[in-house]
Short mmCIF file of all heavy atoms in Angstrom, two decimals:
data_model
loop_
_atom_site.label_atom_id
_atom_site.label_comp_id
_atom_site.label_asym_id
_atom_site.label_seq_id
_atom_site.Cartn_x
_atom_site.Cartn_y
_atom_site.Cartn_z
N LYS V 1758 -30.90 8.12 5.08
CA LYS V 1758 -30.17 7.19 4.23
C LYS V 1758 -29.68 7.81 2.95
O LYS V 1758 -28.70 7.31 2.40
CB LYS V 1758 -31.05 5.98 3.92
CG LYS V 1758 -31.28 5.03 5.06
CD LYS V 1758 -30.56 3.71 4.79
CE LYS V 1758 -30.62 2.73 5.93
NZ LYS V 1758 -30.26 3.35 7.23
N ASP V 1759 -30.33 8.83 2.47
CA ASP V 1759 -29.96 9.44 1.27
C ASP V 1759 -29.00 10.64 1.43
O ASP V 1759 -28.71 11.32 0.49
CB ASP V 1759 -31.20 9.88 0.46
CG ASP V 1759 -31.92 8.67 -0.10
OD1 ASP V 1759 -31.25 7.70 -0.42
OD2 ASP V 1759 -33.15 8.74 -0.22
N SER V 1760 -28.66 10.90 2.69
CA SER V 1760 -27.70 12.01 2.92
C SER V 1760 -26.37 11.75 2.20
O SER V 1760 -25.98 10.58 2.12
CB SER V 1760 -27.48 12.18 4.41
OG SER V 1760 -28.63 12.59 5.04
N VAL V 1761 -25.77 12.77 1.72
CA VAL V 1761 -24.50 12.64 0.99
C VAL V 1761 -23.48 13.59 1.57
O VAL V 1761 -23.79 14.72 1.94
CB VAL V 1761 -24.71 12.94 -0.51
CG1 VAL V 1761 -23.36 12.81 -1.25
CG2 VAL V 1761 -25.72 12.00 -1.14
N ASN V 1782 -21.66 8.30 0.17
CA ASN V 1782 -23.01 7.89 0.61
C ASN V 1782 -22.90 7.65 2.14
O ASN V 1782 -22.02 6.88 2.58
CB ASN V 1782 -23.38 6.57 -0.11
CG ASN V 1782 -24.76 6.13 0.18
OD1 ASN V 1782 -25.34 6.46 1.23
ND2 ASN V 1782 -25.34 5.42 -0.78
N ILE V 1783 -23.82 8.19 2.86
CA ILE V 1783 -23.74 8.07 4.37
C ILE V 1783 -23.88 6.56 4.77
O ILE V 1783 -23.31 6.17 5.80
CB ILE V 1783 -24.83 8.96 5.02
CG1 ILE V 1783 -24.44 9.30 6.46
CG2 ILE V 1783 -26.18 8.33 4.99
CD1 ILE V 1783 -23.56 10.48 6.61
N SER V 1784 -24.60 5.83 3.95
CA SER V 1784 -24.70 4.41 4.28
C SER V 1784 -23.35 3.71 4.14
O SER V 1784 -23.09 2.78 4.96
CB SER V 1784 -25.71 3.71 3.31
OG SER V 1784 -26.91 4.41 3.32
N THR V 1785 -22.56 4.06 3.18
CA THR V 1785 -21.21 3.51 3.09
C THR V 1785 -20.41 3.79 4.34
O THR V 1785 -19.71 2.91 4.87
CB THR V 1785 -20.50 4.09 1.85
OG1 THR V 1785 -21.37 4.04 0.77
CG2 THR V 1785 -19.23 3.39 1.53
N ILE V 1860 -18.87 7.71 -3.92
CA ILE V 1860 -19.85 7.23 -4.78
C ILE V 1860 -19.29 7.20 -6.27
O ILE V 1860 -18.68 8.18 -6.70
CB ILE V 1860 -21.11 8.21 -4.81
CG1 ILE V 1860 -21.73 8.23 -3.37
CG2 ILE V 1860 -22.19 7.76 -5.85
CD1 ILE V 1860 -22.76 9.29 -3.20
C1 LIG D 593 -26.62 5.11 -0.54
O1 LIG D 593 -26.62 3.67 -0.38
C2 LIG D 593 -27.86 3.12 -0.03
C3 LIG D 593 -27.65 1.64 0.29
O2 LIG D 593 -26.72 1.07 -0.60
C4 LIG D 593 -28.86 3.32 -1.14
O3 LIG D 593 -30.14 2.82 -0.80
C5 LIG D 593 -28.98 4.81 -1.38
O4 LIG D 593 -29.82 5.10 -2.49
C6 LIG D 593 -27.61 5.42 -1.67
N1 LIG D 593 -27.73 6.87 -1.72
C7 LIG D 593 -27.16 7.59 -2.67
C8 LIG D 593 -27.37 9.06 -2.59
O5 LIG D 593 -26.39 7.10 -3.50
#
Side-chain angles (χ1 to χ4, degrees):
K1758 285 251 175 311
D1759 288 328
S1760 296
V1761 177
N1782 188 333
I1783 202 88
S1784 307
T1785 312
I1860 298 170

